[in-house]
Amino acid sequence: MRRPAPGKINLALVVGPLRDDGRHELLTVYQRIGLADRIDVEPAERTRVDGFAGDTLVRDALQRLAVRAAVDRGWRARIEKRVPVAGGLAGGSSDAATALRLANDTLDEPLPQPELHALAAELGADVPYFLLDGPRLGSGNGSTLAALDLPQDFWIVLLAPRDARKRSTAEVYGAFDGGTGFRERRAALLAALDGVRRPTDLAALPPNDLVKSPFADELRAAGAFRADVSGAGHTVYGLFMHERAAHAAAEALRARGRVWITAPAWYG
């Protein structure tokens, strides 16, 4: 069984104070993108993951599924990486969620959706998002999800800046000290979402609380109606109304690092 494992961008990320569980309260807009890894999963005597030596999440996901489903076997998974690693696009989380879905489908008694969601949330706050379709509003620690009706007819330019130092997600969140005013910023994000009717209305969403990048300014100068950093970085995205403009911007920014052109994706 094989499925794509799409990456995501955060169209907005508002971060608040630490919760009792040690994670930050947040409100974010998850948007799945067409740039995707490929995941193959088939039953096996023991769990094995090939194709990407840096994997930890897929193996962990499959081992946890075997325990939760009380099965004395595993799965063989193969990962074909296309989403850049450690760039804020959640490729590893998507891989894990996709492997969970595929492996769960091979069970005689698959876990129901709520149990699969809970298992995914144990792996990471954004893993449950990839079990669902469409853009979603993530709240709590990011794993509480609500459907959003957002326009999907735009183009996305992704830039992974050359020589950028990618701090770990834990390091980025650990350095965050902007919890003050969270309620006001949260309310501003919700108000901006209420006003979204056309793609260009996404420009009113507040910027990423965690990370800033001068390359967002360059993408706007190249014609993006919105540009920001995704997640904890370091990938920067720009949104464009027309494919020709997206290609022109990508060409102008190729000297800055790795560039991809993609579009929103509804489901993996």
Side-chain angles (χ1 to χ4, degrees):
M1 301 176 69
R2 188 184 201 204
R3 281 186 182 272
K8 62 80 184 162
I9 57 174
N10 298 82
L11 290 175
L13 177 57
V14 174
V15 183
L18 279 173
R19 298 152 39 103
D20 291 341
D21 62 5
R23 297 182 178 183
H24 283 270
E25 190 76 18
L26 60 84
L27 192 69
T28 188
V29 178
Y30 294 120
Q31 172 64 63
R32 190 178 278 100
I33 60 176
L35 182 65
D37 295 339
R38 295 289 184 271
I39 308 295
D40 289 277
V41 173
E42 59 184 19
E45 290 187 7
R46 61 183 181 86
T47 293
R48 171 180 169 182
V49 180
D50 298 322
F52 176 49
D55 169 71
T56 55
L57 274 181
V58 170
R59 180 182 299 277
D60 193 11
L62 295 177
Q63 290 173 339
R64 286 172 185 255
L65 178 61
V67 172
R68 194 69 55 90
V71 295
D72 188 21
R73 61 173 176 83
W75 293 268
R76 180 182 179 186
R78 181 168 183 82
I79 305 172
E80 182 182 331
K81 289 299 292 182
R82 296 181 182 177
V83 178
V85 177
L89 302 181
S93 295
S94 184
D95 292 347
T98 303
L100 272 180
R101 289 169 54 203
L102 289 171
N104 194 52
D105 286 346
T106 70
L107 295 172
D108 293 334
E109 297 183 16
L111 296 186
Q113 182 65 27
E115 288 189 40
L116 202 63
H117 182 108
L119 194 160
E122 294 173 5
L123 298 164
D126 55 4
V127 178
Y129 167 64
F130 294 100
L131 298 175
L132 303 172
D133 60 3
R136 297 272 166 167
L137 183 68
S139 60
N141 68 1
S143 63
T144 300
L145 301 164
L148 287 173
D149 182 14
L150 295 180
Q152 301 286 281
D153 51 335
F154 53 87
W155 293 87
I156 305 167
V157 173
L158 302 171
L159 169 66
R162 183 174 287 110
D163 300 327
R165 186 181 79 86
K166 172 63 171 77
R167 295 184 294 168
S168 71
T169 298
E171 183 182 354
V172 173
Y173 273 93
F176 178 74
D177 61 359
T180 303
F182 172 66
R183 289 184 180 180
E184 292 77 9
R185 297 197 309 280
R186 182 181 187 278
L189 171 53
L190 293 173
L193 282 172
D194 283 342
V196 175
R197 302 290 182 271
R198 302 176 300 275
T200 51
D201 294 334
L202 295 170
L205 300 183
N208 187 326
D209 269 355
L210 283 179
V211 188
K212 312 297 179 189
S213 172
F215 294 110
D217 294 332
E218 293 197 29
L219 279 160
R220 282 187 287 268
F225 61 82
R226 178 173 179 78
D228 206 349
V229 181
S230 183
H234 59 278
T235 303
V236 186
Y237 67 83
L239 310 184
F240 294 80
M241 281 302 302
H242 302 292
E243 183 178 10
R244 180 178 296 179
H247 278 277
E251 190 60 33
L253 289 165
R254 287 196 191 281
R256 299 297 198 179
R258 297 177 68 195
V259 179
W260 298 262
I261 300 172
T262 186
W266 190 258
Y267 201 57

